Amino acid sequence: MTDQPAITVDGHAIPLLGFGTWMLEPDDARRMVAEALRIGYRHIDTAWIYRNEAAVGDGVRDAIEAGHVAREDIWLTTKIWVEHFDRDGLLRQAAESRASLGFTPDLLLLHWPRKEPAFAETIGALNEAKDQGLTGAIGLSNFPSAEFREAQALSKAKLVTNQVEYHPYLKLSKLTAAAKELGSSITAWSPLAQGKIADDPTLIGIGEAHGKSAGQVTLRWLIQQNVIAIPRTTKVSRAEESFDIFDFQLSPEEMDRIHALARPDGRMGDWLDKSFRWDEEWA
C-alpha cells in the first residue's frame, strides 16, 4: 500500500501514521483530507458520528483527481455508532457510510462498547458487513482489554485494531499486551493529548536533541511502539510537521523517559459506558 512504516495485521498493511478528522467541520474535513494525502499521509480516519463522512470522501476524491494518490494506496477507516449496534441497524449504517464516503472503507470499527444488544449480535453483524463487501476489515474502538478479548472470541474475522485514547500521559500497557496476544493492533486517538504535549519540558528537551518539536517526538514515540497514530488539525503547516517524523529515531532511554510521563489522571476523553471499566494500570 505504501512505503511508509506500516503494521501488518491479518494480511492488511496499515500505515502507522494517519490523519484524523474528529470535530472537523465538513469544509475543513474535505480540505484537510485532500491536503493530508498531498503531503503523503496514506491513512484517513473518520466516523459516522463525526457527520463528515461525505466531506472526507470528497477530500479523498479531490486528492485522487489531482494525481496525488491512487485509491488502492489509501487506508480508509470509519466507525459504527452505538445506536446502530443491532444487526439491521449496523448493516444499514455500514451501507450508508459506504455511500457517504463514495468508497468502500478498508476498516469498519465499533465506536464504543455497549451492553445492549449483546456483543454476539453486534459482532456477528460486523462480520456480516465484511462478508457483504461493505468493508475490507473490521475492528473496535474504545474497548477495555476484557471486552477486547470477548469480542475477538465472538468474531469469525480478525479484529485488526482497537482505537483508543493514547498519549504520553496515559499508561496503556495492559491493552497493548492484549492487542499483541490477540494478533491485533492499537490505534491512538488524541495522540498529542489535545495539544498538552506542546509545553512538556521532557518532550521539548528530547526534541531539541533531534531538531524536532514535542509533537513530532510524541508521534515518533507512538509509531516506534508499532502503535498507529491519527493526529488531526485544521492547519496545513501542522499536518506537514506531524508527517515529518520518519528521519529520526528515539533511543530506548528516550522512550522510557516518555513512558514515565504517564499519570493516573491522564485520561482526557472518558465517555465509556458505566457498564464497563478501563483497565486498572495503577494498582
Side-chain angles (χ1 to χ4, degrees), residues 19 21 24-35 37 44-48 50-63 76 97 99-103:
F19 185 80
T21 63
L24 292 189
E25 294 296 327
D27 287 349
D28 282 334
R30 179 174 186 168
R31 174 178 60 86
M32 287 306 303
V33 165
E35 289 286 359
L37 292 169
I44 303 295
D45 180 272
T46 185
W48 182 89
Y50 299 170
R51 309 297 187 194
N52 61 17
E53 285 177 318
V56 166
D58 286 340
V60 170
R61 197 171 299 104
D62 291 345
L76 182 59
S97 289
S100 294
L101 289 165
F103 302 97

PDB file of all heavy atoms in Angstrom, residues 19 21 24-35 37 44-48 50-63 76 97 99-103:
ATOM      1  N   PHE A  19      -4.274  10.375   9.432  1.00  0.00           N
ATOM      2  CA  PHE A  19      -4.833  11.701   9.658  1.00  0.00           C
ATOM      3  C   PHE A  19      -6.251  11.541  10.170  1.00  0.00           C
ATOM      4  O   PHE A  19      -7.083  10.901   9.534  1.00  0.00           O
ATOM      5  CB  PHE A  19      -4.825  12.527   8.367  1.00  0.00           C
ATOM      6  CG  PHE A  19      -5.276  13.948   8.569  1.00  0.00           C
ATOM      7  CD1 PHE A  19      -4.403  14.893   9.077  1.00  0.00           C
ATOM      8  CD2 PHE A  19      -6.583  14.333   8.289  1.00  0.00           C
ATOM      9  CE1 PHE A  19      -4.809  16.204   9.298  1.00  0.00           C
ATOM     10  CE2 PHE A  19      -7.007  15.630   8.501  1.00  0.00           C
ATOM     11  CZ  PHE A  19      -6.121  16.571   9.008  1.00  0.00           C
ATOM     12  N   THR A  21     -10.058  12.993  11.698  1.00  0.00           N
ATOM     13  CA  THR A  21     -10.996  14.055  11.307  1.00  0.00           C
ATOM     14  C   THR A  21     -12.054  14.345  12.369  1.00  0.00           C
ATOM     15  O   THR A  21     -13.057  14.987  12.082  1.00  0.00           O
ATOM     16  CB  THR A  21     -11.699  13.696   9.979  1.00  0.00           C
ATOM     17  OG1 THR A  21     -12.479  12.497  10.168  1.00  0.00           O
ATOM     18  CG2 THR A  21     -10.694  13.492   8.864  1.00  0.00           C
ATOM     19  N   LEU A  24     -13.863  17.906  12.869  1.00  0.00           N
ATOM     20  CA  LEU A  24     -13.634  18.757  11.714  1.00  0.00           C
ATOM     21  C   LEU A  24     -14.963  18.999  11.004  1.00  0.00           C
ATOM     22  O   LEU A  24     -15.672  18.061  10.636  1.00  0.00           O
ATOM     23  CB  LEU A  24     -12.644  18.123  10.735  1.00  0.00           C
ATOM     24  CG  LEU A  24     -11.190  17.975  11.185  1.00  0.00           C
ATOM     25  CD1 LEU A  24     -10.328  17.533  10.011  1.00  0.00           C
ATOM     26  CD2 LEU A  24     -10.649  19.275  11.778  1.00  0.00           C
ATOM     27  N   GLU A  25     -15.311  20.268  10.819  1.00  0.00           N
ATOM     28  CA  GLU A  25     -16.488  20.611  10.042  1.00  0.00           C
ATOM     29  C   GLU A  25     -16.287  20.150   8.603  1.00  0.00           C
ATOM     30  O   GLU A  25     -15.142  20.016   8.143  1.00  0.00           O
ATOM     31  CB  GLU A  25     -16.729  22.120  10.094  1.00  0.00           C
ATOM     32  CG  GLU A  25     -17.108  22.647  11.470  1.00  0.00           C
ATOM     33  CD  GLU A  25     -18.439  22.096  11.952  1.00  0.00           C
ATOM     34  OE1 GLU A  25     -19.327  21.859  11.105  1.00  0.00           O
ATOM     35  OE2 GLU A  25     -18.594  21.912  13.176  1.00  0.00           O
ATOM     36  N   PRO A  26     -17.372  19.885   7.875  1.00  0.00           N
ATOM     37  CA  PRO A  26     -17.226  19.318   6.526  1.00  0.00           C
ATOM     38  C   PRO A  26     -16.257  20.063   5.619  1.00  0.00           C
ATOM     39  O   PRO A  26     -15.426  19.423   4.952  1.00  0.00           O
ATOM     40  CB  PRO A  26     -18.658  19.348   5.995  1.00  0.00           C
ATOM     41  CG  PRO A  26     -19.497  19.139   7.219  1.00  0.00           C
ATOM     42  CD  PRO A  26     -18.793  19.921   8.293  1.00  0.00           C
ATOM     43  N   ASP A  27     -16.305  21.392   5.586  1.00  0.00           N
ATOM     44  CA  ASP A  27     -15.384  22.122   4.705  1.00  0.00           C
ATOM     45  C   ASP A  27     -13.935  21.885   5.089  1.00  0.00           C
ATOM     46  O   ASP A  27     -13.067  21.689   4.217  1.00  0.00           O
ATOM     47  CB  ASP A  27     -15.692  23.626   4.740  1.00  0.00           C
ATOM     48  CG  ASP A  27     -16.965  23.992   3.996  1.00  0.00           C
ATOM     49  OD1 ASP A  27     -17.504  23.114   3.275  1.00  0.00           O
ATOM     50  OD2 ASP A  27     -17.427  25.141   4.139  1.00  0.00           O
ATOM     51  N   ASP A  28     -13.659  21.906   6.401  1.00  0.00           N
ATOM     52  CA  ASP A  28     -12.293  21.647   6.861  1.00  0.00           C
ATOM     53  C   ASP A  28     -11.895  20.205   6.605  1.00  0.00           C
ATOM     54  O   ASP A  28     -10.733  19.924   6.256  1.00  0.00           O
ATOM     55  CB  ASP A  28     -12.163  21.961   8.352  1.00  0.00           C
ATOM     56  CG  ASP A  28     -12.053  23.451   8.632  1.00  0.00           C
ATOM     57  OD1 ASP A  28     -11.602  24.190   7.741  1.00  0.00           O
ATOM     58  OD2 ASP A  28     -12.438  23.865   9.741  1.00  0.00           O
ATOM     59  N   ALA A  29     -12.835  19.272   6.804  1.00  0.00           N
ATOM     60  CA  ALA A  29     -12.531  17.858   6.582  1.00  0.00           C
ATOM     61  C   ALA A  29     -12.139  17.618   5.125  1.00  0.00           C
ATOM     62  O   ALA A  29     -11.132  16.954   4.843  1.00  0.00           O
ATOM     63  CB  ALA A  29     -13.723  16.993   6.966  1.00  0.00           C
ATOM     64  N   ARG A  30     -12.915  18.157   4.200  1.00  0.00           N
ATOM     65  CA  ARG A  30     -12.586  17.959   2.774  1.00  0.00           C
ATOM     66  C   ARG A  30     -11.224  18.565   2.446  1.00  0.00           C
ATOM     67  O   ARG A  30     -10.377  17.916   1.818  1.00  0.00           O
ATOM     68  CB  ARG A  30     -13.672  18.578   1.902  1.00  0.00           C
ATOM     69  CG  ARG A  30     -13.385  18.438   0.404  1.00  0.00           C
ATOM     70  CD  ARG A  30     -14.538  18.930  -0.450  1.00  0.00           C
ATOM     71  NE  ARG A  30     -14.280  18.650  -1.855  1.00  0.00           N
ATOM     72  CZ  ARG A  30     -15.195  18.749  -2.819  1.00  0.00           C
ATOM     73  NH1 ARG A  30     -16.443  19.145  -2.518  1.00  0.00           N
ATOM     74  NH2 ARG A  30     -14.886  18.474  -4.079  1.00  0.00           N
ATOM     75  N   ARG A  31     -11.032  19.802   2.873  1.00  0.00           N
ATOM     76  CA  ARG A  31      -9.773  20.492   2.574  1.00  0.00           C
ATOM     77  C   ARG A  31      -8.576  19.774   3.177  1.00  0.00           C
ATOM     78  O   ARG A  31      -7.564  19.541   2.495  1.00  0.00           O
ATOM     79  CB  ARG A  31      -9.859  21.924   3.116  1.00  0.00           C
ATOM     80  CG  ARG A  31      -8.574  22.733   3.006  1.00  0.00           C
ATOM     81  CD  ARG A  31      -8.788  24.145   3.529  1.00  0.00           C
ATOM     82  NE  ARG A  31      -9.189  24.170   4.933  1.00  0.00           N
ATOM     83  CZ  ARG A  31      -8.332  24.158   5.966  1.00  0.00           C
ATOM     84  NH1 ARG A  31      -7.021  24.116   5.738  1.00  0.00           N
ATOM     85  NH2 ARG A  31      -8.774  24.199   7.206  1.00  0.00           N
ATOM     86  N   MET A  32      -8.685  19.390   4.450  1.00  0.00           N
ATOM     87  CA  MET A  32      -7.531  18.818   5.133  1.00  0.00           C
ATOM     88  C   MET A  32      -7.249  17.369   4.717  1.00  0.00           C
ATOM     89  O   MET A  32      -6.089  16.958   4.688  1.00  0.00           O
ATOM     90  CB  MET A  32      -7.717  18.916   6.644  1.00  0.00           C
ATOM     91  CG  MET A  32      -7.552  20.336   7.184  1.00  0.00           C
ATOM     92  SD  MET A  32      -5.991  21.136   6.714  1.00  0.00           S
ATOM     93  CE  MET A  32      -4.774  19.956   7.350  1.00  0.00           C
ATOM     94  N   VAL A  33      -8.278  16.614   4.382  1.00  0.00           N
ATOM     95  CA  VAL A  33      -8.029  15.261   3.874  1.00  0.00           C
ATOM     96  C   VAL A  33      -7.274  15.339   2.550  1.00  0.00           C
ATOM     97  O   VAL A  33      -6.297  14.603   2.327  1.00  0.00           O
ATOM     98  CB  VAL A  33      -9.350  14.480   3.734  1.00  0.00           C
ATOM     99  CG1 VAL A  33      -9.167  13.233   2.866  1.00  0.00           C
ATOM    100  CG2 VAL A  33      -9.864  14.086   5.110  1.00  0.00           C
ATOM    101  N   ALA A  34      -7.714  16.226   1.663  1.00  0.00           N
ATOM    102  CA  ALA A  34      -7.006  16.379   0.389  1.00  0.00           C
ATOM    103  C   ALA A  34      -5.562  16.829   0.614  1.00  0.00           C
ATOM    104  O   ALA A  34      -4.624  16.317  -0.026  1.00  0.00           O
ATOM    105  CB  ALA A  34      -7.744  17.378  -0.501  1.00  0.00           C
ATOM    106  N   GLU A  35      -5.365  17.795   1.531  1.00  0.00           N
ATOM    107  CA  GLU A  35      -4.014  18.273   1.826  1.00  0.00           C
ATOM    108  C   GLU A  35      -3.163  17.175   2.461  1.00  0.00           C
ATOM    109  O   GLU A  35      -1.977  17.025   2.145  1.00  0.00           O
ATOM    110  CB  GLU A  35      -4.074  19.493   2.744  1.00  0.00           C
ATOM    111  CG  GLU A  35      -4.597  20.750   2.082  1.00  0.00           C
ATOM    112  CD  GLU A  35      -3.605  21.380   1.124  1.00  0.00           C
ATOM    113  OE1 GLU A  35      -2.478  20.857   0.970  1.00  0.00           O
ATOM    114  OE2 GLU A  35      -3.944  22.415   0.532  1.00  0.00           O
ATOM    115  N   LEU A  37      -3.373  13.962   2.095  1.00  0.00           N
ATOM    116  CA  LEU A  37      -2.974  12.995   1.072  1.00  0.00           C
ATOM    117  C   LEU A  37      -1.923  13.588   0.138  1.00  0.00           C
ATOM    118  O   LEU A  37      -1.018  12.879  -0.324  1.00  0.00           O
ATOM    119  CB  LEU A  37      -4.203  12.516   0.304  1.00  0.00           C
ATOM    120  CG  LEU A  37      -5.168  11.669   1.138  1.00  0.00           C
ATOM    121  CD1 LEU A  37      -6.482  11.455   0.392  1.00  0.00           C
ATOM    122  CD2 LEU A  37      -4.552  10.326   1.515  1.00  0.00           C
ATOM    123  N   ILE A  44      -6.542   7.587   6.491  1.00  0.00           N
ATOM    124  CA  ILE A  44      -7.525   8.598   6.847  1.00  0.00           C
ATOM    125  C   ILE A  44      -8.577   7.962   7.753  1.00  0.00           C
ATOM    126  O   ILE A  44      -9.084   6.875   7.459  1.00  0.00           O
ATOM    127  CB  ILE A  44      -8.214   9.193   5.598  1.00  0.00           C
ATOM    128  CG1 ILE A  44      -7.182   9.782   4.629  1.00  0.00           C
ATOM    129  CG2 ILE A  44      -9.260  10.219   6.006  1.00  0.00           C
ATOM    130  CD1 ILE A  44      -6.420  10.977   5.151  1.00  0.00           C
ATOM    131  N   ASP A  45      -8.929   8.660   8.844  1.00  0.00           N
ATOM    132  CA  ASP A  45      -9.877   8.127   9.814  1.00  0.00           C
ATOM    133  C   ASP A  45     -11.062   9.072   9.974  1.00  0.00           C
ATOM    134  O   ASP A  45     -10.893  10.283  10.154  1.00  0.00           O
ATOM    135  CB  ASP A  45      -9.181   7.956  11.174  1.00  0.00           C
ATOM    136  CG  ASP A  45     -10.117   7.409  12.237  1.00  0.00           C
ATOM    137  OD1 ASP A  45     -10.800   8.223  12.909  1.00  0.00           O
ATOM    138  OD2 ASP A  45     -10.173   6.187  12.391  1.00  0.00           O
ATOM    139  N   THR A  46     -12.275   8.516   9.942  1.00  0.00           N
ATOM    140  CA  THR A  46     -13.484   9.282  10.201  1.00  0.00           C
ATOM    141  C   THR A  46     -14.469   8.391  10.961  1.00  0.00           C
ATOM    142  O   THR A  46     -14.119   7.318  11.426  1.00  0.00           O
ATOM    143  CB  THR A  46     -14.096   9.831   8.886  1.00  0.00           C
ATOM    144  OG1 THR A  46     -15.208  10.667   9.218  1.00  0.00           O
ATOM    145  CG2 THR A  46     -14.541   8.719   7.959  1.00  0.00           C
ATOM    146  N   ALA A  47     -15.718   8.860  11.102  1.00  0.00           N
ATOM    147  CA  ALA A  47     -16.759   8.090  11.780  1.00  0.00           C
ATOM    148  C   ALA A  47     -18.114   8.669  11.393  1.00  0.00           C
ATOM    149  O   ALA A  47     -18.235   9.861  11.094  1.00  0.00           O
ATOM    150  CB  ALA A  47     -16.590   8.157  13.305  1.00  0.00           C
ATOM    151  N   TRP A  48     -19.132   7.831  11.455  1.00  0.00           N
ATOM    152  CA  TRP A  48     -20.493   8.284  11.152  1.00  0.00           C
ATOM    153  C   TRP A  48     -20.893   9.453  12.047  1.00  0.00           C
ATOM    154  O   TRP A  48     -21.473  10.433  11.581  1.00  0.00           O
ATOM    155  CB  TRP A  48     -21.455   7.116  11.325  1.00  0.00           C
ATOM    156  CG  TRP A  48     -22.882   7.423  10.994  1.00  0.00           C
ATOM    157  CD1 TRP A  48     -23.499   7.322   9.778  1.00  0.00           C
ATOM    158  CD2 TRP A  48     -23.884   7.888  11.906  1.00  0.00           C
ATOM    159  NE1 TRP A  48     -24.819   7.698   9.871  1.00  0.00           N
ATOM    160  CE2 TRP A  48     -25.084   8.054  11.174  1.00  0.00           C
ATOM    161  CE3 TRP A  48     -23.893   8.190  13.265  1.00  0.00           C
ATOM    162  CZ2 TRP A  48     -26.281   8.484  11.761  1.00  0.00           C
ATOM    163  CZ3 TRP A  48     -25.072   8.634  13.853  1.00  0.00           C
ATOM    164  CH2 TRP A  48     -26.251   8.774  13.105  1.00  0.00           C
ATOM    165  N   TYR A  50     -19.162  11.727  13.352  1.00  0.00           N
ATOM    166  CA  TYR A  50     -18.460  12.983  13.084  1.00  0.00           C
ATOM    167  C   TYR A  50     -19.234  13.854  12.088  1.00  0.00           C
ATOM    168  O   TYR A  50     -18.913  15.038  11.927  1.00  0.00           O
ATOM    169  CB  TYR A  50     -17.064  12.733  12.514  1.00  0.00           C
ATOM    170  CG  TYR A  50     -16.110  11.960  13.380  1.00  0.00           C
ATOM    171  CD1 TYR A  50     -14.899  11.513  12.864  1.00  0.00           C
ATOM    172  CD2 TYR A  50     -16.393  11.667  14.716  1.00  0.00           C
ATOM    173  CE1 TYR A  50     -14.006  10.801  13.631  1.00  0.00           C
ATOM    174  CE2 TYR A  50     -15.503  10.943  15.494  1.00  0.00           C
ATOM    175  CZ  TYR A  50     -14.314  10.508  14.944  1.00  0.00           C
ATOM    176  OH  TYR A  50     -13.424   9.782  15.695  1.00  0.00           O
ATOM    177  N   ARG A  51     -20.183  13.267  11.403  1.00  0.00           N
ATOM    178  CA  ARG A  51     -21.000  13.999  10.420  1.00  0.00           C
ATOM    179  C   ARG A  51     -20.156  14.608   9.299  1.00  0.00           C
ATOM    180  O   ARG A  51     -20.490  15.666   8.756  1.00  0.00           O
ATOM    181  CB  ARG A  51     -21.823  15.116  11.091  1.00  0.00           C
ATOM    182  CG  ARG A  51     -22.644  14.670  12.294  1.00  0.00           C
ATOM    183  CD  ARG A  51     -23.691  13.649  11.931  1.00  0.00           C
ATOM    184  NE  ARG A  51     -24.575  13.358  13.060  1.00  0.00           N
ATOM    185  CZ  ARG A  51     -25.413  12.319  13.102  1.00  0.00           C
ATOM    186  NH1 ARG A  51     -25.491  11.490  12.080  1.00  0.00           N
ATOM    187  NH2 ARG A  51     -26.194  12.118  14.154  1.00  0.00           N
ATOM    188  N   ASN A  52     -19.080  13.935   8.953  1.00  0.00           N
ATOM    189  CA  ASN A  52     -18.246  14.478   7.868  1.00  0.00           C
ATOM    190  C   ASN A  52     -17.778  13.402   6.881  1.00  0.00           C
ATOM    191  O   ASN A  52     -16.841  13.633   6.104  1.00  0.00           O
ATOM    192  CB  ASN A  52     -17.037  15.245   8.439  1.00  0.00           C
ATOM    193  CG  ASN A  52     -16.105  14.370   9.276  1.00  0.00           C
ATOM    194  OD1 ASN A  52     -16.149  13.146   9.209  1.00  0.00           O
ATOM    195  ND2 ASN A  52     -15.257  15.010  10.069  1.00  0.00           N
ATOM    196  N   GLU A  53     -18.440  12.233   6.901  1.00  0.00           N
ATOM    197  CA  GLU A  53     -18.006  11.157   6.002  1.00  0.00           C
ATOM    198  C   GLU A  53     -18.049  11.589   4.539  1.00  0.00           C
ATOM    199  O   GLU A  53     -17.125  11.290   3.765  1.00  0.00           O
ATOM    200  CB  GLU A  53     -18.872   9.908   6.197  1.00  0.00           C
ATOM    201  CG  GLU A  53     -18.566   9.118   7.457  1.00  0.00           C
ATOM    202  CD  GLU A  53     -19.500   7.933   7.630  1.00  0.00           C
ATOM    203  OE1 GLU A  53     -20.720   8.097   7.383  1.00  0.00           O
ATOM    204  OE2 GLU A  53     -19.018   6.852   7.997  1.00  0.00           O
ATOM    205  N   ALA A  54     -19.120  12.269   4.132  1.00  0.00           N
ATOM    206  CA  ALA A  54     -19.223  12.682   2.726  1.00  0.00           C
ATOM    207  C   ALA A  54     -18.093  13.642   2.371  1.00  0.00           C
ATOM    208  O   ALA A  54     -17.501  13.550   1.281  1.00  0.00           O
ATOM    209  CB  ALA A  54     -20.578  13.321   2.461  1.00  0.00           C
ATOM    210  N   ALA A  55     -17.782  14.569   3.280  1.00  0.00           N
ATOM    211  CA  ALA A  55     -16.699  15.519   3.030  1.00  0.00           C
ATOM    212  C   ALA A  55     -15.345  14.821   2.982  1.00  0.00           C
ATOM    213  O   ALA A  55     -14.484  15.162   2.162  1.00  0.00           O
ATOM    214  CB  ALA A  55     -16.696  16.597   4.114  1.00  0.00           C
ATOM    215  N   VAL A  56     -15.143  13.839   3.854  1.00  0.00           N
ATOM    216  CA  VAL A  56     -13.907  13.054   3.822  1.00  0.00           C
ATOM    217  C   VAL A  56     -13.782  12.349   2.475  1.00  0.00           C
ATOM    218  O   VAL A  56     -12.716  12.367   1.834  1.00  0.00           O
ATOM    219  CB  VAL A  56     -13.875  12.049   4.985  1.00  0.00           C
ATOM    220  CG1 VAL A  56     -12.779  11.002   4.771  1.00  0.00           C
ATOM    221  CG2 VAL A  56     -13.663  12.779   6.308  1.00  0.00           C
ATOM    222  N   GLY A  57     -14.873  11.744   2.022  1.00  0.00           N
ATOM    223  CA  GLY A  57     -14.852  11.091   0.713  1.00  0.00           C
ATOM    224  C   GLY A  57     -14.535  12.070  -0.403  1.00  0.00           C
ATOM    225  O   GLY A  57     -13.777  11.756  -1.335  1.00  0.00           O
ATOM    226  N   ASP A  58     -15.102  13.287  -0.317  1.00  0.00           N
ATOM    227  CA  ASP A  58     -14.803  14.312  -1.325  1.00  0.00           C
ATOM    228  C   ASP A  58     -13.319  14.679  -1.301  1.00  0.00           C
ATOM    229  O   ASP A  58     -12.699  14.890  -2.358  1.00  0.00           O
ATOM    230  CB  ASP A  58     -15.644  15.557  -1.075  1.00  0.00           C
ATOM    231  CG  ASP A  58     -17.105  15.387  -1.454  1.00  0.00           C
ATOM    232  OD1 ASP A  58     -17.409  14.463  -2.245  1.00  0.00           O
ATOM    233  OD2 ASP A  58     -17.937  16.170  -0.943  1.00  0.00           O
ATOM    234  N   GLY A  59     -12.745  14.773  -0.105  1.00  0.00           N
ATOM    235  CA  GLY A  59     -11.329  15.083   0.003  1.00  0.00           C
ATOM    236  C   GLY A  59     -10.456  14.007  -0.596  1.00  0.00           C
ATOM    237  O   GLY A  59      -9.452  14.298  -1.276  1.00  0.00           O
ATOM    238  N   VAL A  60     -10.827  12.754  -0.352  1.00  0.00           N
ATOM    239  CA  VAL A  60     -10.101  11.634  -0.967  1.00  0.00           C
ATOM    240  C   VAL A  60     -10.194  11.729  -2.489  1.00  0.00           C
ATOM    241  O   VAL A  60      -9.194  11.600  -3.213  1.00  0.00           O
ATOM    242  CB  VAL A  60     -10.664  10.287  -0.468  1.00  0.00           C
ATOM    243  CG1 VAL A  60     -10.095   9.126  -1.286  1.00  0.00           C
ATOM    244  CG2 VAL A  60     -10.365  10.093   1.018  1.00  0.00           C
ATOM    245  N   ARG A  61     -11.400  11.997  -2.974  1.00  0.00           N
ATOM    246  CA  ARG A  61     -11.617  12.097  -4.425  1.00  0.00           C
ATOM    247  C   ARG A  61     -10.827  13.259  -5.017  1.00  0.00           C
ATOM    248  O   ARG A  61     -10.232  13.145  -6.103  1.00  0.00           O
ATOM    249  CB  ARG A  61     -13.108  12.248  -4.699  1.00  0.00           C
ATOM    250  CG  ARG A  61     -13.527  11.974  -6.128  1.00  0.00           C
ATOM    251  CD  ARG A  61     -15.040  11.928  -6.248  1.00  0.00           C
ATOM    252  NE  ARG A  61     -15.613  10.856  -5.424  1.00  0.00           N
ATOM    253  CZ  ARG A  61     -16.244  11.060  -4.266  1.00  0.00           C
ATOM    254  NH1 ARG A  61     -16.414  12.273  -3.792  1.00  0.00           N
ATOM    255  NH2 ARG A  61     -16.726  10.029  -3.586  1.00  0.00           N
ATOM    256  N   ASP A  62     -10.793  14.383  -4.297  1.00  0.00           N
ATOM    257  CA  ASP A  62     -10.018  15.534  -4.769  1.00  0.00           C
ATOM    258  C   ASP A  62      -8.543  15.168  -4.930  1.00  0.00           C
ATOM    259  O   ASP A  62      -7.900  15.547  -5.924  1.00  0.00           O
ATOM    260  CB  ASP A  62     -10.137  16.699  -3.783  1.00  0.00           C
ATOM    261  CG  ASP A  62     -11.532  17.318  -3.755  1.00  0.00           C
ATOM    262  OD1 ASP A  62     -12.326  17.060  -4.674  1.00  0.00           O
ATOM    263  OD2 ASP A  62     -11.815  18.052  -2.774  1.00  0.00           O
ATOM    264  N   ALA A  63      -8.001  14.453  -3.945  1.00  0.00           N
ATOM    265  CA  ALA A  63      -6.585  14.081  -3.994  1.00  0.00           C
ATOM    266  C   ALA A  63      -6.310  13.095  -5.129  1.00  0.00           C
ATOM    267  O   ALA A  63      -5.271  13.176  -5.797  1.00  0.00           O
ATOM    268  CB  ALA A  63      -6.152  13.490  -2.658  1.00  0.00           C
ATOM    269  N   LEU A  76      -8.615   3.645   4.568  1.00  0.00           N
ATOM    270  CA  LEU A  76      -9.733   4.498   4.944  1.00  0.00           C
ATOM    271  C   LEU A  76     -10.579   3.808   6.012  1.00  0.00           C
ATOM    272  O   LEU A  76     -11.080   2.698   5.790  1.00  0.00           O
ATOM    273  CB  LEU A  76     -10.575   4.802   3.704  1.00  0.00           C
ATOM    274  CG  LEU A  76     -11.786   5.731   3.852  1.00  0.00           C
ATOM    275  CD1 LEU A  76     -11.372   7.095   4.372  1.00  0.00           C
ATOM    276  CD2 LEU A  76     -12.499   5.862   2.503  1.00  0.00           C
ATOM    277  N   SER A  97     -22.632   4.524   5.324  1.00  0.00           N
ATOM    278  CA  SER A  97     -21.286   5.081   5.405  1.00  0.00           C
ATOM    279  C   SER A  97     -20.534   4.870   4.097  1.00  0.00           C
ATOM    280  O   SER A  97     -19.836   5.778   3.624  1.00  0.00           O
ATOM    281  CB  SER A  97     -20.516   4.460   6.577  1.00  0.00           C
ATOM    282  OG  SER A  97     -21.029   4.910   7.816  1.00  0.00           O
ATOM    283  N   ALA A  99     -21.844   4.622   1.157  1.00  0.00           N
ATOM    284  CA  ALA A  99     -22.435   5.540   0.180  1.00  0.00           C
ATOM    285  C   ALA A  99     -21.973   6.975   0.429  1.00  0.00           C
ATOM    286  O   ALA A  99     -21.666   7.717  -0.521  1.00  0.00           O
ATOM    287  CB  ALA A  99     -23.952   5.452   0.231  1.00  0.00           C
ATOM    288  N   SER A 100     -21.929   7.393   1.695  1.00  0.00           N
ATOM    289  CA  SER A 100     -21.499   8.745   2.006  1.00  0.00           C
ATOM    290  C   SER A 100     -20.042   8.979   1.612  1.00  0.00           C
ATOM    291  O   SER A 100     -19.699  10.033   1.053  1.00  0.00           O
ATOM    292  CB  SER A 100     -21.679   9.025   3.504  1.00  0.00           C
ATOM    293  OG  SER A 100     -23.048   9.019   3.868  1.00  0.00           O
ATOM    294  N   LEU A 101     -19.195   8.024   1.923  1.00  0.00           N
ATOM    295  CA  LEU A 101     -17.786   8.143   1.567  1.00  0.00           C
ATOM    296  C   LEU A 101     -17.576   8.119   0.057  1.00  0.00           C
ATOM    297  O   LEU A 101     -16.657   8.754  -0.465  1.00  0.00           O
ATOM    298  CB  LEU A 101     -16.982   7.008   2.212  1.00  0.00           C
ATOM    299  CG  LEU A 101     -16.782   7.067   3.729  1.00  0.00           C
ATOM    300  CD1 LEU A 101     -16.315   5.717   4.252  1.00  0.00           C
ATOM    301  CD2 LEU A 101     -15.785   8.165   4.099  1.00  0.00           C
ATOM    302  N   GLY A 102     -18.421   7.350  -0.623  1.00  0.00           N
ATOM    303  CA  GLY A 102     -18.210   7.139  -2.050  1.00  0.00           C
ATOM    304  C   GLY A 102     -17.150   6.100  -2.327  1.00  0.00           C
ATOM    305  O   GLY A 102     -16.766   5.875  -3.478  1.00  0.00           O
ATOM    306  N   PHE A 103     -16.691   5.441  -1.283  1.00  0.00           N
ATOM    307  CA  PHE A 103     -15.681   4.387  -1.367  1.00  0.00           C
ATOM    308  C   PHE A 103     -16.018   3.324  -0.328  1.00  0.00           C
ATOM    309  O   PHE A 103     -16.568   3.639   0.729  1.00  0.00           O
ATOM    310  CB  PHE A 103     -14.272   4.919  -1.051  1.00  0.00           C
ATOM    311  CG  PHE A 103     -13.808   6.037  -1.934  1.00  0.00           C
ATOM    312  CD1 PHE A 103     -13.931   7.361  -1.528  1.00  0.00           C
ATOM    313  CD2 PHE A 103     -13.242   5.764  -3.164  1.00  0.00           C
ATOM    314  CE1 PHE A 103     -13.509   8.399  -2.331  1.00  0.00           C
ATOM    315  CE2 PHE A 103     -12.807   6.800  -3.986  1.00  0.00           C
ATOM    316  CZ  PHE A 103     -12.941   8.121  -3.574  1.00  0.00           C
TER     317      PHE A 103
END
